[in-house]
Amino acid sequence: MAEDDETGVAAEAELKKGFETLEVVQPDPSVPVHYIYLNRPAQRNALTPAFFTELPRALALLDRLPSARAIVLAARGPHFCAGIDLSTLAATSAPRSADRAAASELLRRRILALQATISAVERCRKPVVAAIHGACIGGGLDLVAACDIRCCDEGAFFAVKEVDLALAADLGSLQRLPSIVGYGNAADMALTGRGVPAAEAKAMGLVTRVFPSRAAMEEGVAALARGLAEKSTVAMMGTKAVMLRSRDLTVDQGLEYVATWNSAMLMSRDLEEAVRAQLEKRKPNFSRL
């Protein structure tokens, strides 16, 4: 426990140093929920090279922080995210080289590095809830597709816009959306580049909750995140890990995987505490991770 406390203190110290493109806050110190805000509102939170460095760092620190049992990904300003900043596209473009193979390999590594940033959301052990308002376009959609739960207000809209920039989306939308909304809906979005309003996004399963206003969404997402934070971190981590792993497996393979996982995790203190709390009709006191 002392080692965990030291790790948490170190993570908190790192978070206090701040970020260029993000704001990380814990609104209520008594509630173990942290918010990551995209924080370039004047630029509609377009994703810069600095963002692709800072987001994995912020997630890694929160992953180590015992006081962060759930994470909300939100945004400052009138829009969630307008996609990739042009400076990022320029930095990622193919380098000039007499050796086309070497230039292509360098570009491939740059794209893989951007992809790793988006995948860091998915790989974070803590549940990540997206709170989306306004535009969620291109790279913004890549980002929320990697979250565990997605909520929005009635004014939100979503678009895979890369096709209009003569590109194939390469940060995860084409890979994650089919399993979220179905192949047909994903193809419709990716090939047309059209904006999908909140009601349609809810109908196709892109978001699970639509709120009548941004204020209502913020209140509802806060309540949702609090509920997640009250549950066993061991159980939340296991559920997320098993679901992500099972996504790429057959049903039989997924069952084998969860059997192996639970053969270790069923011995957790949290399971004993959950049973005891049920019998004693009280709230459980789960382990901090």
Side-chain angles (χ1 to χ4, degrees), residues 37 65-66 88 109 125 141 159 165 195 231 255 267 276 285:
Y37 287 98
L65 198 62
T88 306
R109 291 201 304 270
R125 296 181 303 163
L141 184 52
L165 295 174
K231 300 185 185 300
L255 289 170
M267 296 182 287
R276 191 178 300 113
N285 181 23

Side-chain angles (χ1 to χ4, degrees), residues 66-249:
S67 63
R69 293 191 174 192
I71 299 167
V72 175
L73 180 63
R76 299 298 191 192
H79 296 286
F80 182 82
C81 179
I84 296 227
D85 192 275
L86 293 178
S87 64
T88 306
L89 283 178
T92 313
S93 60
R96 294 184 178 182
S97 171
D99 187 337
R100 292 185 62 185
S104 295
E105 175 57 20
L106 178 57
L107 178 56
R108 175 179 172 274
R109 291 201 304 270
R110 288 176 179 174
I111 295 171
L112 288 173
L114 300 182
Q115 291 173 348
T117 290
I118 304 299
S119 294
V121 178
E122 193 172 74
R123 291 172 183 161
C124 179
R125 296 181 303 163
K126 315 292 176 68
V128 182
V129 180
I132 306 149
H133 67 280
C136 181
I137 295 172
L141 184 52
D142 291 314
L143 188 57
V144 301
C147 293
D148 302 300
I149 301 173
R150 288 164 293 278
C151 304
C152 71
D153 67 9
E154 288 184 346
F157 66 94
F158 305 82
V160 182
K161 292 297 288 183
E162 285 84 350
V163 70
D164 290 335
L165 295 174
L167 295 170
D170 57 8
L171 298 187
S173 286
L174 302 186
Q175 291 69 39
R176 294 186 176 97
L177 282 180
S179 64
I180 297 171
V181 303
Y183 181 87
N185 286 322
D188 185 323
M189 294 181 69
L191 294 175
T192 66
R194 69 182 181 89
V196 173
E200 185 179 357
K202 172 69 163 58
M204 67 172 61
L206 180 55
V207 297
T208 55
R209 308 184 191 195
V210 177
F211 295 90
S213 67
R214 183 173 176 181
M217 177 189 69
E218 291 171 350
E219 183 178 344
V221 167
L224 170 61
R226 282 196 304 271
L228 296 175
E230 290 175 355
K231 300 185 185 300
S232 162
T233 306
V234 171
M236 299 297 280
M237 286 168 36
T239 299
K240 180 170 179 175
V242 169
M243 289 188 70
L244 287 173
R245 180 64 173 155
S246 297
R247 182 182 60 187
D248 302 320
L249 301 175

